Amino acid sequence: MGEVDHDVIVIGAGPAGAAAAARLAACGRRVLVVERSHFPRFSIGESLLPQCMSHLEEAGLLESVLAADYQPKNGAAFTRNGLETAIDFREKFTPGWGTTFQVERADFDHRLIDGARDQGAEIEFGVTVTAFRADDDHPQVDVVDESGNARTLTARFVLDASGYGRVLARLEHLERDARQDPRTALFTHLEACPVDSSHDREKILIGVHPDDAGIWYWLIPFRHQRASVGVVGETERLEAHGATPAARWQALIDAEPRFRQLLEGARPTRPVEELSGYSADVTRLHGPGYVLLGNAGEFLDPVFSSGVTIALRSASLAAPLVDRQLGGDTVDWDAEFEQPLREGIETFRAFVDAWYDGRLQTIIFHADAPSDIKSRISAILAGYAWDRSNPFVSASRRHLDTLAAICKRQAVSDGPADIANTDSLQSMSDSSTEARS
Ligand code: FAD
């Protein structure tokens, strides 16, 4: 065994790795982060959720994010066939932050890892993890740098925050099928976008293809009139729209009137990129001497911008447990980490499934629901997916089924304008209040 010169090795310097490293270093642990790329580096995943903010605060990283002058975000707007609606996170049911930011990830991730270094973590860039040996007390990782120099590092605990690198999922044979259909995303950055002020820059805009509800769009405004714009759909359905990623992206933008209007004349600043097969899952999130954080464990789908929130949540749950275990306590990783983390992921999964099978689109575009129902849905979309006092967390699928069925029935019989004070929605609102009390 090599000499143990680090308490914790963190694989990957994205949001999950940076937040975990910052917290553990602040507790006095000797932390080494190994990152294969060099920062700043591009990453997709630019629209944060308000729930992130408290996790950044716990990691001592919020101040630096607040100082960055990112584009503020207070909600999500939706558009389909000329219909527009919006959800304001500040009207959410769960207490806590109601606003957050839309961030260029190259800058954001750089800031977070600099913050972890300021708190005492050591960071090595250009270093790739190639092998791993699990062990309760002295797990080991093999790394190689860009000159080909290989080393074995021994620690007392390893946190895998390698994101799409999925280092331990591969090396420990933990991969299992993601329970999502395989989809592809096409995206780029633009300047002079959106071209007019008719879109509220403090909201992400989600659009739906007029003829294919399985294809959706994002527009994430950044500061300085820049924006990220992407399209997501099942791979084959996207491929039908052009021969190259850029041609497909443009044809799909041209097909959606609101996006076409907001992008007319905007200038791309990056080539259109295509990303497939990003949804992933693992059989378990921990093993002897290691834990998987963020995307290195499970990634659902980008539609509700939950990725960074789940990554930060996982770091926030794991770091104090690692500290306890290194201090000599026994940690029940299933009960104290995996189950609580997966609970919120299941809430997001219920919402993602309901988006793609149409139930959530029915709710979002038709339900002028009582404000207490709206505020509960707003809380989930703001990232408060772990608040069990919200019936849309404790019984997500049942409540989404009931609400979608009511909205659908009433949209057919009355039209959207009459939904607000109808008996069924009111009684659903009453019963979810009772369920809570
Ligand atoms: P990452 O940010 O991926 O960081 C992992 C790091 O590990 C990387 O820097 C990588 O270089 C490093 N690494 C990998 N392998 C190795 C290795 N072998 N050795 C050393 N280092 C290694 N999330 C949101 O919150 N909002 C959004 O709007 C959003 N939009 C998205 C759109 C799309 C199309 C997709 C696919 C995802 C989106 N996401 C979004 C999800 C978001 O990108 C991820 O959830 C988030 O980046 C996960 O953070 P992380 O820290 O787990 O991993």
Side-chain angles (χ1 to χ4, degrees):
M1 187 209 312
E3 198 183 321
V4 179
D5 45 6
H6 304 284
D7 291 323
V8 182
I9 290 174
V10 180
I11 310 172
R23 280 194 76 159
L24 283 160
C27 296
R29 299 294 173 192
R30 294 164 308 159
V31 180
L32 172 68
V33 182
V34 283
E35 163 60 52
R36 75 174 165 197
S37 66
H38 290 270
F39 282 23
R41 55 98 178 88
F42 176 84
S43 171
I44 197 65
E46 299 143 327
S47 192
L48 305 183
L49 301 182
Q51 166 76 85
C52 282
M53 305 296 271
S54 55
H55 297 318
L56 291 169
E57 199 165 9
E58 289 155 6
L61 299 172
L62 183 61
E63 229 173 273
S64 157
V65 171
L66 293 176
D69 185 33
Y70 292 128
Q71 170 62 52
K73 172 182 176 187
N74 63 28
F78 297 86
T79 181
R80 185 180 71 183
N81 278 327
L83 271 180
E84 294 238 4
T85 181
I87 285 180
D88 192 320
F89 294 153
R90 292 164 298 184
E91 292 161 7
K92 69 194 166 24
F93 167 81
T94 306
W97 282 83
T99 58
T100 184
F101 297 106
Q102 292 162 164
V103 301
E104 295 91 334
R105 283 284 301 276
D107 187 76
F108 178 76
D109 289 17
H110 202 183
R111 247 168 212 282
L112 297 194
I113 201 64
D114 275 354
R117 192 195 339 250
D118 290 347
Q119 294 185 51
E122 193 185 325
I123 326 288
E124 288 189 22
F125 291 100
V127 172
T128 300
V129 171
T130 53
F132 177 72
R133 281 169 295 286
D135 185 271
D136 277 322
D137 301 314
H138 297 114
Q140 292 187 318
V141 294
D142 292 348
V143 297
V144 60
D145 69 18
E146 287 163 344
S147 312
N149 301 314
R151 278 178 294 159
T152 294
L153 303 170
T154 306
R156 297 172 65 202
F157 204 89
V158 170
L159 290 170
D160 180 14
S162 61
Y164 305 112
R166 306 186 56 69
V167 171
L168 294 196
R170 283 186 292 105
L171 296 174
E172 290 294 292
H173 309 292
L174 304 174
E175 289 179 293
R176 75 169 171 200
D177 270 359
R179 286 159 278 170
Q180 309 292 327
D181 294 328
R183 294 191 171 83
T184 290
L186 299 162
F187 50 86
T188 187
H189 283 180
L190 298 109
E191 58 187 8
C193 181
V195 295
D196 62 38
S197 57
S198 61
H199 173 66
D200 173 0
R201 298 187 65 80
E202 300 201 4
K203 292 188 173 64
I204 183 174
L205 177 64
I206 306 283
V208 180
H209 190 286
D211 307 317
D212 185 345
I215 295 178
W216 63 271
Y217 304 72
W218 80 71
L219 187 159
I220 300 172
F222 298 134
R223 59 196 164 170
H224 309 314
Q225 291 298 118
R226 299 168 91 94
S228 165
V229 178
V231 190
V232 177
E234 284 178 29
T235 308
E236 273 180 21
R237 279 147 87 169
L238 291 195
E239 279 172 356
H241 291 269
T244 62
R248 293 194 269 283
W249 181 89
Q250 190 62 58
L252 286 157
I253 295 296
D254 289 344
E256 207 297 314
R258 183 71 173 130
F259 273 70
R260 191 174 59 227
Q261 175 209 340
L262 291 170
L263 267 62
E264 191 99 65
R267 295 179 296 276
T269 56
R270 301 175 51 84
V272 172
E273 265 185 63
E274 188 170 49
L275 193 61
S276 301
Y278 40 73
S279 296
D281 198 3
V282 284
T283 49
R284 58 174 203 277
L285 290 172
H286 60 91
Y290 72 87
V291 156
L292 274 50
L293 304 180
N295 272 28
E298 179 165 9
F299 180 65
L300 285 175
D301 186 273
V303 68
F304 297 120
S305 307
S306 58
V308 173
T309 299
I310 293 171
L312 293 175
R313 180 88 183 185
S314 68
S316 211
L317 276 170
L321 297 175
V322 174
D323 186 48
R324 253 182 53 202
Q325 182 159 315
L326 295 181
D329 267 14
T330 302
V331 171
D332 181 340
W333 283 98
D334 240 0
E336 298 182 69
F337 175 73
E338 176 144 2
Q339 285 170 29
L341 183 65
R342 295 255 200 203
E343 244 179 55
I345 297 176
E346 284 313 307
T347 307
F348 282 123
R349 190 192 314 284
F351 274 66
V352 167
D353 289 348
W355 173 265
Y356 285 111
D357 69 23
R359 283 171 299 149
L360 198 57
Q361 295 191 24
T362 302
I363 292 168
I364 284 171
F365 286 106
H366 290 270
D368 187 8
S371 59
D372 54 344
I373 289 188
K374 264 187 146 173
S375 72
R376 285 162 197 186
I377 290 179
S378 165
I380 310 294
L381 300 189
Y384 294 95
W386 289 267
D387 173 10
R388 289 188 61 79
S389 70
N390 183 347
F392 282 87
V393 171
S394 51
S396 326
R397 290 184 189 272
R398 183 159 60 79
H399 278 82
L400 284 166
D401 277 351
T402 310
L403 184 55
I406 294 169
C407 292
K408 199 166 185 174
R409 223 173 30 240
Q410 292 175 348
V412 170
S413 62
D414 308 330
D418 296 328
I419 288 176
N421 294 311
T422 56
D423 289 347
S424 10
L425 268 177
Q426 198 54 56
S427 64
M428 183 179 173
S429 153
D430 295 344
S431 67
S432 59
T433 309
E434 276 162 28
R436 194 185 153 221
S437 52

